[in-house]
Amino acid sequence: MSKTGFSRMLRVTLVLLALLLPMFLGAQNVTMEVKNVTVQQAVTLLQSQGNYTIVINADDVDLQKRISVSAKDAPLSEVLAQIFAGQNLDFTVKGNTVSVNKPKVADSPKGTFSGIVLNRDGEPLAGATVIEKKTGKYALTDDKGVFKMEEVSFPSEIVISYLGFDDQEFKLTGRERQPYKMVLTSENTLLDELVIVGYGTQKRVNLTGAVSVIDGATLNQRPVTNTAMALQGADPSIIMTTGNGSIEASEYSISVRGKVSLNSGSPLVLIDGVEGSLTLVNPNDIESISVLKDASACAIYGAKASAGVILVNTKSGEGEEGRASINYNSRFSISSNTTSTNFMTSAYDYVTLTNTFNQALQGNPAWTFSDEQIQMMYDRRNDVTENPARPWVIPDETHTYTYLYLGNFDWYGYLFKRNRPETEHNISIKGGTKKMNYYVSGRYLYREGLFNQGAEDVVNNYSFRSKLNAEITPWLHYSNNIAFERSNYEYGGFWEQDGQTGLVEAGILWNTTQNVGPFYVPYNPDGTVNIQPGYMYGATSPLFSGRGGVWTTTTNHNARIKNSLTLTNRLTFSIAKGLKFVADYTYRRNDNMNTYRCLPTPNCYDNANKRMYVGNGLTGGYFSNGSVYDFYREIRYFQ
């Protein structure tokens, strides 16, 4: 061989080696013995041992999964299978490069699907809705019950909906014989539901008036204290507003489908057939509520039903023959303010800001502080608590007042609670036999109010209900229903309502906004109560309109106690099929007992006039006790 030929053959051999060497290296066997390591650690070890480049999509692979690998001189594919075991991955090896990916999913085959929808008697159902569950595609059946859908993905789930039947689901593989016959056999039990109307019940399917039913289970799941609050949002036709934010509020406004006229009243509320208030019903005792929404209710209840009727049906006894069932539940919650309570507590910022606005609006500043006094507030601007070197109350060197107030006091946190606990306990017992059943329930509810000062601002509520149903003879049925509720609200502050909204809380809240700023503090250095500090431009109005003293000294103790008792006895005579005679006797009594007590507060200091404050009863003592009784008896005979 010539030297030229040998040189050419050597070059060809080197090129072939360069091309084939990666393939030989990629096909080499691997030895790896590791226990309880992560996938990422095993991949790193494999790369270092075999000089591999492993390409992984982190979204496809769980790199933190713990694995063990045992391979001795094993093929690379076997080692990769152990490293990525259980992750459903594909491996591609090209030379020293290994690609790890999830297997591609083949597109589902699509096709046309047609069928017919029938009832159990083989009759076609026209207007049935056929929906492909995955894509939401739908079709309607024609007058012969036939439908057709294009581009349905197989396998697929088809849902059939039709009035009077429960929705039914069919699973398709795409290999079914078409047209596919679908038979609806499960009739909708909602149409057979018994709805309370008038003094009896009707099947929903037979009703012609507008009626809605709210299940008691829906109301029980809401963390509310009375049925009036539970009805909010439960039915779109009911518009409910509460009278105020008081924790013992019993006032509410309710309308069905809005106001039927300018002078229209509220709907008639009947609780087990007796007129009552929704606030006096424990939501845990409710079986169902029926809302009669149109004027057809007037045929039964008269003119009172012109604005609608709300029928509350409470629970009755039931259960296994001769055995009692006991149910207990409790709830604890904390109410917080829904609006910001991060009010300004810096005297300097408050005075300069309000003075600027009042100067532009009224032509004079809001407060009569001098520039030197405002500078003193600036020196204390960042003092969250009082610094002994910079006291918040000092003698007034101008001799205009006794004291000069320069504090950064948080009046909101002093007067009001930002969080208020609430707890509720319910217990009920029910049971009976075929001829007699009973239901007994009790509830205790504790709620804290908004106010932080004064007497304890709390409500203790107790309620009790019992129902007894007995079959005396096959033609005579007796029932007894007793409901009792007691609400005891204790609060501080003033008993009078200040003419604001007729409520204690509203009057007090209004007064706590009057002539107050963070520079004031509740007590003076000598221990007297700060009640009339002055500083108001052109006036020396008392702090909180004079109400500050009794809140600070906690001398007011007021209470409102409400008792409500309803007792119903009912006899039902079955005279003939479809004909009953009912005798009903109801006794109802409401007692309201109010006690207002205030001890004198002689240590309230008049800062403007430099004397102890002697007011018009705002700091004087008083005691008042009154009661209101409401009796109601009703005897009804109807059939």
Side-chain angles (χ1 to χ4, degrees), residues 325-359:
S325 173
I326 302 176
N327 181 68
Y328 169 79
N329 67 74
S330 63
R331 173 179 62 86
F332 175 79
S333 62
I334 297 178
S335 301
S336 300
N337 302 322
T338 56
T339 56
S340 173
T341 57
N342 187 23
F343 294 109
M344 189 178 293
T345 57
S346 167
Y348 173 80
D349 294 331
Y350 179 82
V351 170
T352 54
L353 182 65
T354 53
N355 276 354
T356 300
F357 275 89
N358 207 70
Q359 184 72 46

Side-chain angles (χ1 to χ4, degrees), residues 87-90 101-106:
Q87 298 205 48
N88 189 26
L89 299 169
D90 285 343
N101 300 286
K102 279 193 173 183
K104 293 183 178 181
V105 179

Side-chain angles (χ1 to χ4, degrees), residues 442-506:
R443 178 180 76 160
Y444 169 68
L445 173 66
Y446 170 86
R447 303 184 71 191
E448 288 193 11
L450 177 67
F451 299 108
N452 209 21
Q453 296 297 318
E456 192 175 21
D457 189 22
V458 298
V459 161
N460 288 282
N461 182 278
Y462 310 86
S463 63
F464 168 83
R465 180 175 294 275
S466 71
K467 290 183 75 174
L468 174 67
N469 296 288
E471 182 183 313
I472 301 175
T473 68
W475 50 269
L476 178 60
H477 181 271
Y478 167 75
S479 65
N480 173 270
N481 195 338
I482 301 174
F484 173 77
E485 176 153 332
R486 177 183 177 88
S487 174
N488 184 5
Y489 177 37
E490 298 180 10
Y491 62 98
F494 286 88
W495 69 271
E496 91 283 2
Q497 319 306 313
D498 297 326
Q500 299 301 313
T501 64
L503 297 165
V504 169
E505 290 76 8

Side-chain angles (χ1 to χ4, degrees), residues 45-113:
L45 180 60
L46 180 61
Q47 290 182 132
S48 64
Q49 285 185 357
N51 195 27
Y52 294 107
T53 299
I54 302 178
V55 181
I56 298 175
N57 186 342
D59 294 334
D60 295 339
V61 181
D62 182 3
L63 295 175
Q64 301 307 313
K65 181 181 179 181
R66 291 279 173 177
I67 60 163
S68 296
V69 178
S70 179
K72 185 175 182 180
D73 198 23
L76 176 61
S77 59
E78 181 181 324
V79 177
L80 291 172
Q82 292 188 50
I83 294 176
F84 299 105
Q87 298 205 48
N88 189 26
L89 299 169
D90 285 343
F91 320 115
T92 303
V93 180
K94 292 184 178 180
N96 275 28
T97 301
V98 179
S99 298
V100 182
N101 300 286
K102 279 193 173 183
K104 293 183 178 181
V105 179
D107 295 334
S108 301
K110 295 184 179 181
T112 302
F113 175 63

